[in-house]
């Protein structure tokens, strides 16, 4: 059984993952509005990943005899001053998610909840990838700054990203 505190923390994490998905869908609308369909598509893939994370925490919580109660999702921002600003916000957001996952791990360790600690390892590794993939786009955005035809090429590149649900789940 999960402790009450752990159950609540997992519930909060489900909300946080769903809110991440909501934020990235909002970013997709921003890029779509700009005609940057590759960027919009990248954000929609990101959006699906976050929903997958939420569902993963949902499944784990029930598996351990807990219960999920969905919470209110506040409206995310809907406009950014540039594609770079949106991606910088994305990185900041992912760093915040990493801090939350680490706090969950700290809680699992302090409660001697080995099953949850083991489960969370997948998310610890996933966050390394999440931050790296966002940083990669930021690096490319720096390179194309002030060059519309290079931005157009980057848009084409980002359009190739597809969502593949990870096969191995811890
Ligand atoms: Mg996530």
């Amino acid at each position: 059984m999960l402790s009450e505190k752990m159950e609540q923390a997992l519930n909060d994490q489900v909300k946080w993952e769903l809110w991440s998905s909501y934020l990235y869908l909002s970013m997709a609308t921003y890029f779509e509005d700009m005609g940057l369909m590759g960027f919009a598509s990248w954000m929609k893939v990101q959006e699906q990943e976050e929903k997958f994370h939420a569902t993963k925490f949902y499944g784990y919580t029930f598996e351990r005899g807990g219960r999920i109660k969905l919470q209110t999702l506040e409206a995310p921002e809907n406009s950014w001053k540039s594609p770079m600003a949106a991606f910088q916000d994305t990185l900041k957001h992912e760093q915040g998610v990493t801090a939350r996952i680490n706090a969950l791990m700290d809680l699992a360790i302090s409660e001697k909840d080995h099953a949850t600690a083991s489960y969370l390892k997948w998310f610890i590794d996933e966050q390394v990838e999440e931050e790296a993939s966002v940083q990669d786009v930021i690096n490319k955005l720096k390179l194309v700054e002030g060059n519309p035809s290079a931005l157009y090429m980057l848009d084409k590149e980002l359009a190739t990203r597809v969502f593949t649900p990870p096969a191995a789940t811890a």
Side-chain angles (χ1 to χ4, degrees):
M1 271 295 271
L2 293 168
S3 73
E4 223 170 273
K5 212 168 160 189
M6 185 56 80
E7 186 180 9
Q8 187 55 52
L10 289 166
N11 265 270
D12 293 344
Q13 193 61 32
V14 167
K15 180 204 169 161
W16 199 244
E17 300 292 348
L18 287 174
W19 194 80
S20 301
S21 146
Y22 215 32
L23 172 66
Y24 297 139
L25 189 60
S26 187
M27 287 185 179
T29 71
Y30 162 73
F31 286 116
E32 193 124 6
D33 190 48
M34 287 180 88
L36 289 170
M37 303 311 278
F39 280 85
S41 163
W42 192 98
M43 281 297 170
K44 285 187 203 163
V45 172
Q46 190 75 4
E47 190 262 328
Q48 289 180 76
E49 272 200 13
E50 300 309 335
K51 271 199 296 216
F52 175 78
H53 295 162
T55 306
K56 225 169 127 58
F57 277 114
Y58 170 114
Y60 177 74
T61 304
F62 274 99
E63 214 178 348
R64 293 290 310 284
R67 169 86 158 89
I68 291 291
K69 291 172 189 154
L70 295 177
Q71 304 173 27
T72 305
L73 296 182
E74 296 82 14
E77 300 270 310
N78 53 50
S79 185
W80 286 265
K81 76 176 201 310
S82 63
M84 179 63 105
F87 271 86
Q88 273 163 348
D89 259 15
T90 300
L91 183 61
K92 218 172 87 194
H93 181 71
E94 285 305 325
Q95 287 165 342
V97 173
T98 301
R100 280 173 182 264
I101 301 276
N102 288 343
L104 272 178
M105 182 61 108
D106 290 344
L107 180 63
I109 290 167
S110 77
E111 297 207 336
K112 298 187 167 52
D113 183 345
H114 294 255
T116 301
S118 168
Y119 187 78
L120 287 169
K121 276 180 97 176
W122 185 89
F123 284 94
I124 303 255
D125 297 340
E126 174 74 3
Q127 281 311 115
V128 173
E129 258 184 60
E130 289 277 5
E131 288 187 30
S133 77
V134 176
Q135 187 63 57
D136 179 60
V137 178
I138 290 175
N139 294 344
K140 285 172 177 161
L141 276 168
K142 274 184 202 151
L143 290 172
V144 307
E145 213 184 347
N147 184 342
S149 56
L151 183 66
Y152 176 78
M153 292 310 291
L154 180 56
D155 187 62
K156 288 227 174 286
E157 184 192 319
L158 294 188
T160 62
R161 184 186 185 196
V162 289
F163 174 64
T164 36
T169 54

